[in-house]
Each structure stands twice: as structure tokens, then as C-alpha cells.
Amino acid sequence: MLDREGFRPNVGIILLNANNEVWWGKRVREHSWQFPQGGIKYGETPEQAMYRELEEEIGLRQEHVKIVGRTRDWLRYEVPDHFIKREVRGHYRGQKQIWFLLRMVARDNDVNLRLTDHPEFDAWRWHDYWVPLDVVIEFKRDVYQRALQELSRFITWPANGERRHSSRYLRQPHERRSQGGNGNGGSKPAANAANANANASSKAVAVASKAIADAAGSSKMVLAQQGVTRKE
């Protein structure tokens, strides 16, 4: 089922534990990790599709989770041609997704990756909320970043305000630009100060070099005059 623009309706799931860590799954026989996701069937609402995918992919049922929030609108990503089946090229462009943020109220051992004959994942772990996007397939990274950022507003963070935005986890180019002020990852005053120091050092070297040259020239002149005097 595709929309007029060639995008397939889909749901994505970010599942939290009590520590605000997210469920992070390793794709079967691959080295890539991702969140659960899947297509919306004809006649399903996004919420119905989410509960179905939750059970099919990680073995949890509706009573195992609470809905914390969802994205306001569809988030889209395009799939490169070499990942698209030949028979649908020219029609299928990618996925449009509604993302749900869920809180798990079950136990870890309620997770079952082998509920179906075609499992999506072969391993899983809890990970800090800001996941490492370099292990997500490249064409999905922007949607992951946008979903994590939008849904983070539903989470109650520690009172000390500590939140892991380190580059080891979620890469946030917008945040780096705002911190940098000039888009280069550093503050403008710091950059100006560094340039001023470099210019000052260059001027000092130039002055010192000229002084040495003048001194050397004066010595040569004195020696020459002394030589002439001695000759006379």
C-alpha cells in the first residue's frame, strides 16, 4: 500500500525501560542495530499496526507497555534504488512513519524474538536514549534523529538535568552549530582570540628577524670599516 508520492505507511517503536534506556535490536545475521518498525496494513490504524509489530518483532503484547507519546506527523525516508525490488522501482520511494514512544511495564524475560518463523532480530540490549546512529543504516539516520528529538519531550529526565547528548551517542549537527555560533564547531570569540594570538606571534617573529638582520648588517658594516681603516 503506497501513497500518491510512493511512500509506504509504516510505524516505528521506541521502547523505554524504567531508566529511560531504549530497546535496541540487532538485525538477523547483520551487524546493524535498529528500533522495531513495520508496515501498516490496509484498514489498520497506526496504533493497531504498532501493537501488531510489537508482538511480531519482540514478543510483547499491549498489556506489556504504555503509550507515552507519538510523533505529530509522518516522518519520511527514501530508500536507495539498489535496495528496492526491480518490479516496484519507479513507484516505491520509501517509508513514511508514525513513531510511538512506549514504556515497558513487563519484565525483560517477557521479550521473545522467536515468536514468528521470520524473526527480525537475533539479539537485543538496553541502550542510552541517544543511540549511536552510525550503526543504523545510513538512509534511516535522519528519521531516527528526528524521532528521538521529538519524542524526548515526553520523558521526565533526572532533576540534575543530566542528559547524554554526547557525540558517542546521537550525533546532533544542529546543536553543534548553535554551540559553535559560526558553524565550525567552536565559539566565534575563541576563534578570534586564536587568530589574534597567531597574528601577534607572526608579528613578533617578523620583528625579531628584522632585528637580527639589522644587527648582522651592522656588524658586517663595522667589520668592513675596520678593515678599510686597517688598510689605510
Side-chain angles (χ1 to χ4, degrees):
M1 183 174 68
L2 302 178
D3 67 11
R4 294 179 179 178
E5 298 176 326
F7 288 92
R8 179 186 178 211
N10 193 282
V11 292
I13 300 169
I14 299 175
L15 177 64
L16 297 170
N17 65 10
N19 299 318
N20 290 335
E21 295 171 320
V22 293
W23 194 97
W24 197 225
K26 178 183 169 296
R27 290 179 60 87
V28 171
R29 295 182 296 277
E30 295 182 19
H31 294 291
S32 62
W33 293 69
Q34 68 171 58
F35 294 127
Q37 70 172 62
I40 301 174
K41 294 181 178 180
Y42 182 78
E44 279 187 324
T45 66
E47 185 172 319
Q48 290 170 337
M50 178 272 292
Y51 283 126
R52 178 179 51 77
E53 290 293 337
L54 182 72
E55 185 169 7
E56 290 177 0
E57 296 200 352
I58 64 179
L60 296 180
R61 298 185 299 275
Q62 183 171 348
E63 61 265 27
H64 292 141
V65 298
K66 292 193 318 184
I67 295 179
V68 179
R70 54 168 282 177
T71 54
R72 299 181 184 93
D73 205 350
W74 300 100
L75 302 180
R76 292 172 171 79
Y77 66 81
E78 295 191 13
V79 177
D81 281 346
H82 59 277
F83 286 104
I84 301 175
K85 293 179 181 179
R86 184 175 301 175
E87 59 269 23
V88 294
R89 287 181 187 171
H91 304 284
Y92 173 73
R93 290 179 59 189
Q95 308 274 26
K96 65 175 186 180
Q97 299 178 309
I98 295 293
W99 281 83
F100 288 87
L101 182 67
L102 307 180
R103 176 79 65 184
M104 183 167 164
V105 295
R107 300 166 300 176
D108 285 8
N109 58 11
D110 288 319
V111 172
N112 180 6
L113 303 182
R114 295 291 180 268
L115 194 64
T116 67
D117 294 332
H118 302 285
E120 186 74 24
F121 304 104
D122 58 17
W124 71 278
R125 60 172 293 190
W126 293 112
H127 201 288
D128 298 290
Y129 184 82
W130 299 110
V131 295
L133 293 188
D134 55 355
V135 298
V136 179
I137 194 163
E138 186 175 1
F139 58 83
K140 293 183 181 180
R141 291 175 188 170
D142 180 62
V143 162
Y144 269 51
Q145 176 173 320
R146 290 162 61 196
L148 287 164
Q149 287 176 333
E150 181 175 345
L151 294 173
S152 67
R153 66 192 174 94
F154 293 106
I155 300 175
T156 301
W157 300 96
N160 61 8
E162 180 182 352
R163 292 172 59 176
R164 302 191 178 192
H165 288 261
S166 166
S167 58
R168 291 183 302 149
Y169 304 104
L170 177 63
R171 295 181 295 178
Q172 301 199 55
H174 298 300
E175 190 165 287
R176 287 199 297 271
R177 281 199 294 269
S178 63
Q179 290 173 351
N182 57 0
N184 295 323
S187 66
K188 193 169 182 179
N192 290 341
N195 290 336
N197 289 338
N199 291 337
S201 298
S202 299
K203 289 179 181 178
V205 169
V207 170
S209 299
K210 186 175 185 303
I212 292 170
D214 291 346
S218 299
S219 298
K220 291 178 182 177
M221 187 180 299
V222 170
L223 289 174
Q225 290 174 345
Q226 289 176 345
V228 170
T229 302
R230 282 196 293 270
K231 284 181 183 179
E232 291 178 346

